[in-house]
Amino acid sequence: GDSVTQMEGPVTLSEEAFLTINCTYTATGYPSLFWYVQYPGEGLQLLLKATKADDKGSNKGFEATYRKETTSFHLEKGSVQVSDSAVYFCALRRGGSYIPTFGRGTSLIVHP
Amino acid sequence: NAGVTQTPKFRVLKTGQSMTLLCAQDMNHEYMYWYRQDPGMGLRLIHYSVGEGTTAKGEVPDGYNVSRLKKQNFLLGLESAAPSQTSVYFCASSHSRDRGPDSPLHFGNGTRLTVT
């Protein structure tokens, strides 16, 4: 079946540091890939997405590139802020499935 | 635009009590989902619905029931609450796969349930 594997957290960084959160997936066909963010006390919200190989999704300074050859969708940001502290979830969705597949989430803590 | 609204936001139950969690969406989405989130466990799918009047079991359906009598509402019921059901419950909705597999899920802000 489909699966998404994320690096375990928490990831702890100082403000303005470079961020990478790794995500790899297993799925048949050509799924769409997503990153969601969950701020404390809130539900998940879409951060960015990519729908085909080599697509780059971007939003709020975050980027991720759909790499079919390595089945990866790593999340990056050049300079994190304290306000980026949250839990980040990688997910995939295949066209033939009703149900998306989520990773377990990676907690990011950014210190001033 | 309210999006996905969950009620109540917090609830404390005693073991054996029952309750219903309500989810309402105003985006005309066909699919709706109920998840629970526990520390270290990520999101686990309880039940889902692909249309009005239809429901299906997810990964952890035991102890829960659902109903989708109207397209915009998806109810999650606990008939006899147990301490193991202490969790944060999230409802989500999305367009159908016919409208594109890149349709993201839209989540509510959760219901924090404690069973003592």
Side-chain angles (χ1 to χ4, degrees), chain A residues 3-19:
Chain A
S3 67
V4 174
T5 302
Q6 294 182 231
M7 59 190 293
E8 289 195 19
V11 173
T12 304
L13 296 172
S14 297
E15 204 165 25
E16 299 184 1
F18 184 85
L19 168 71

Side-chain angles (χ1 to χ4, degrees), chain B:
Chain B
N1 189 353
V4 178
T5 303
Q6 292 184 234
T7 53
K9 290 182 171 54
F10 302 92
R11 186 71 187 269
V12 178
L13 288 179
K14 295 186 188 300
T15 297
Q17 287 185 319
S18 63
M19 77 164 293
T20 300
L21 283 66
L22 172 63
C23 176
Q25 53 94 5
D26 62 2
M27 295 170 284
N28 201 33
H29 285 166
E30 294 79 13
Y31 295 175
M32 295 187 75
Y33 307 84
W34 275 108
Y35 290 91
R36 59 179 289 173
Q37 185 177 34
D38 303 290
M41 301 295 289
L43 290 172
R44 291 185 291 172
L45 182 65
I46 304 171
H47 285 281
Y48 66 99
S49 168
V50 299
E52 184 178 317
T54 70
T55 63
K57 294 180 180 179
E59 179 186 356
V60 288
D62 293 343
Y64 305 95
N65 57 76
V66 289
S67 64
R68 186 140 179 232
L69 299 179
K70 294 183 179 180
K71 184 177 184 179
Q72 63 268 32
N73 295 338
F74 195 29
L75 278 62
L76 178 70
L78 286 71
E79 291 184 346
S80 179
S84 61
Q85 294 177 305
T86 293
S87 188
V88 181
Y89 291 86
F90 288 99
C91 177
S93 69
S94 79
H95 284 302
S96 71
R97 58 187 182 181
D98 293 338
R99 303 249 323 240
D102 61 338
S103 177
L105 266 60
H106 296 255
F107 285 82
N109 279 331
T111 294
R112 284 146 185 81
L113 174 66
T114 301
V115 182
T116 62

